[in-house]
Amino acid sequence: PQLVAAPGAVIQAKPKVKLMTRDELRACLDRQDASAAESKAIEADDKVLAEERSKVLLERDAIKAKQVEIETAEKTLLADNAAVAKRFEELKELLPKMSKKEQTEAKADYEARAKGVNEQIDPHNQRKKVFLSEVKAFEERVDSFNKRKDALAERADKLGDAQESWRNECGNKPYDEADEIALKKERAAAAAKPASQ
């Protein structure tokens, strides 16, 4: 039995699919190439940032260790200074009760201890000053690193948006394979041209 359309039925032809023009295909291919290039650039920059992050973390650890060292030295220096001050107060009461020889020895001992503490103060303050400038420089490097990291994340987000846009605008649209072949030849010729000059 042969199928026949019912009387009065309209037989519709299969709708013809609209193909992308060659210019539209060229634009889509250019966008795809730009996305691929940006993806590679982001990957390379991310690798550089990962290496830099490792260096920043090592530097951070070194700074923390140096900070502990300086804080420990400062606590020791303050304790030594407090001990000298305490000895000074003790000597005020003890000196009148001592013989001349004991007074001379006690004063000499006190002055030697005080001199030892005083001689440590300037070098300690200088080390601390240098350390604080190192910390400031480190913090500036961290800020710079974070800005570059944030900029890279923003680029990655923009790339994701561009790729999504490409999928919506180009990814599923049909095109003439002859146009694709012609565009590939056109691109190959353009790529070879600067190399021969």
Side-chain angles (χ1 to χ4, degrees):
Q2 186 178 14
L3 295 178
V4 180
V10 178
I11 299 176
Q12 292 184 346
K14 194 173 186 180
K16 188 166 183 167
V17 177
K18 184 176 185 248
L19 299 178
M20 278 196 274
T21 66
R22 188 174 287 190
D23 285 340
E24 289 171 333
L25 180 59
R26 180 183 292 114
C28 284
L29 292 174
D30 288 346
R31 286 171 59 190
Q32 187 177 33
D33 290 348
S35 286
E38 177 67 352
S39 180
K40 284 182 183 177
I42 287 172
E43 189 177 318
D45 289 348
D46 188 49
K47 186 177 179 183
V48 168
L49 280 178
E51 290 170 5
E52 187 175 339
R53 181 179 188 276
S54 296
K55 290 177 185 176
V56 165
L57 291 176
L58 287 174
E59 189 175 354
R60 179 201 64 191
D61 293 345
I63 283 178
K64 283 182 178 181
K66 197 168 187 179
Q67 181 177 7
V68 168
E69 180 184 310
I70 286 175
E71 287 174 352
T72 301
E74 188 164 303
K75 285 178 185 175
T76 302
L77 188 56
L78 289 171
D80 290 349
N81 191 48
V84 167
K86 182 180 178 186
R87 182 65 180 153
F88 178 77
E89 294 302 321
E90 289 171 354
L91 286 178
K92 279 199 234 178
E93 291 183 25
L94 294 176
L95 281 177
K97 301 173 188 169
M98 294 180 175
S99 67
K100 289 281 187 193
K101 183 180 177 191
E102 288 173 334
Q103 285 179 353
T104 304
E105 290 172 1
K107 285 180 182 178
D109 176 61
Y110 167 78
E111 289 171 3
R113 288 171 66 185
K115 182 179 178 190
V117 169
N118 288 334
E119 287 175 348
Q120 295 177 50
I121 291 173
D122 284 342
H124 171 76
N125 287 338
Q126 187 59 35
R127 278 193 306 274
K128 190 172 180 180
K129 183 178 177 181
V130 168
F131 172 71
L132 292 174
S133 69
E134 290 171 356
V135 168
K136 183 178 179 185
F138 172 72
E139 287 171 348
E140 288 170 0
R141 284 192 295 280
V142 168
D143 286 345
S144 172
F145 170 83
N146 286 334
K147 285 177 184 173
R148 289 194 321 279
K149 179 180 64 88
D150 292 346
L152 185 63
E154 189 175 320
R155 280 175 58 199
D157 288 345
K158 284 182 182 178
L159 175 63
D161 292 344
Q163 290 170 333
E164 180 66 24
S165 173
W166 184 90
R167 279 190 288 281
N168 292 334
E169 297 168 15
C170 300
N172 293 324
K173 289 196 176 178
Y175 55 88
D176 187 338
E177 289 182 16
D179 286 343
E180 180 183 26
I181 292 168
L183 288 172
K184 284 183 179 179
K185 285 181 183 176
E186 181 182 289
R187 287 168 165 229
K193 190 175 184 180
S196 63
Q197 287 181 350

